[in-house]
Amino acid sequence: MQWRHFITIGFVGLLLSCTSEDMGTGDPGEAPVPLDPRVVIGLRFAPVPLNLESADRAQVGLGSYFVNAASACVDCHSCPTYRPGASPFTGGRGRLSAATYLAGGVPFGQNLKAPSLAPDAKGLPGGLTREQFMSVMRTGRDPKDPNRTLQVMPWALYRIMADEDLLAMYEYLRAIPPAQPGACTGPGQ
């Protein structure tokens, strides 16, 4: 076995041995609970500083995992998606643009732009309450026009996710900083 395999096995073992107490989320009166490795990955992968004040760190980490790794929300909701010269499609390392992270503005045709998922002035992701967010993810109905179905967003896939997973995504979005869109011509730039 090569040394890289030992490092990989060691890293996976470290992730699996992490507990909620190690991450500062455990109740000191309870026994530590093994932490979901997706939480660790989500917290490490978040491309912006997170506001974890009065937040459940594990829930935010899991939400980051879903938003950033499993769902790729950033491709349609960040304009541009990557830092200058960082797009993996042109040989870059894939570093996300923190300045425009989930701020919306990605054009789809001439009359449609992806909305912001970043918190608004009230701290609501995309201006949506928890209930509105859950409704959008379950039904695909535009919260500003309930008679309109969101055609580009893959809500038909998100609707089968567990409530806990969608709520984790919402809590992650509440923990990111506000942002403003830049300029791009399409998703994934």
Side-chain angles (χ1 to χ4, degrees), residues 42-61:
L43 289 171
R44 288 190 179 145
F45 188 74
V48 292
L50 300 175
N51 178 1
L52 296 173
E53 185 178 319
S54 72
D56 180 327
R57 188 177 182 93
Q59 189 177 35
V60 170

Side-chain angles (χ1 to χ4, degrees), residues 46-49 74 77-84 95-105 116 118-119 176-183:
V48 292
V74 69
H77 292 279
S78 295
C79 180
T81 302
Y82 301 99
R83 293 179 187 179
R95 300 222 169 153
L96 299 175
S97 170
T100 60
Y101 182 68
L102 298 178
S116 173
I176 67 173
Q180 295 296 316

Side-chain angles (χ1 to χ4, degrees), residues 40-188:
V40 176
I41 292 166
L43 289 171
R44 288 190 179 145
F45 188 74
V48 292
L50 300 175
N51 178 1
L52 296 173
E53 185 178 319
S54 72
D56 180 327
R57 188 177 182 93
Q59 189 177 35
V60 170
L62 184 60
S64 173
Y65 179 83
F66 287 124
V67 168
N68 293 306
S71 298
C73 301
V74 69
D75 277 343
C76 294
H77 292 279
S78 295
C79 180
T81 302
Y82 301 99
R83 293 179 187 179
S87 172
F89 302 107
T90 58
R93 297 187 63 199
R95 300 222 169 153
L96 299 175
S97 170
T100 60
Y101 182 68
L102 298 178
V106 177
F108 291 92
Q110 292 189 20
N111 299 320
L112 182 63
K113 286 191 177 188
S116 173
L117 298 180
D120 66 5
K122 295 178 184 176
L124 299 175
L128 302 176
T129 65
R130 186 176 285 115
E131 293 74 24
Q132 290 170 321
F133 178 82
M134 294 296 284
S135 177
V136 168
M137 299 299 268
R138 295 277 186 234
T139 68
R141 297 285 178 203
D142 184 335
K144 295 176 184 164
D145 180 1
N147 294 318
R148 187 172 87 91
T149 300
L150 301 172
Q151 296 295 319
V152 178
M153 189 182 106
W155 61 269
L157 300 173
Y158 297 134
R159 69 186 173 145
I160 62 173
M161 291 178 72
D163 284 348
E164 296 79 21
D165 296 340
L166 291 175
L167 290 172
M169 291 171 73
Y170 185 82
E171 290 305 314
Y172 171 71
L173 295 172
R174 284 178 18 122
I176 67 173
Q180 295 296 316
C184 63
T185 59

Side-chain angles (χ1 to χ4, degrees), residues 28-42:
E30 296 179 12
V33 177
L35 192 61
D36 185 332
R38 297 173 301 173
V39 171
V40 176
I41 292 166

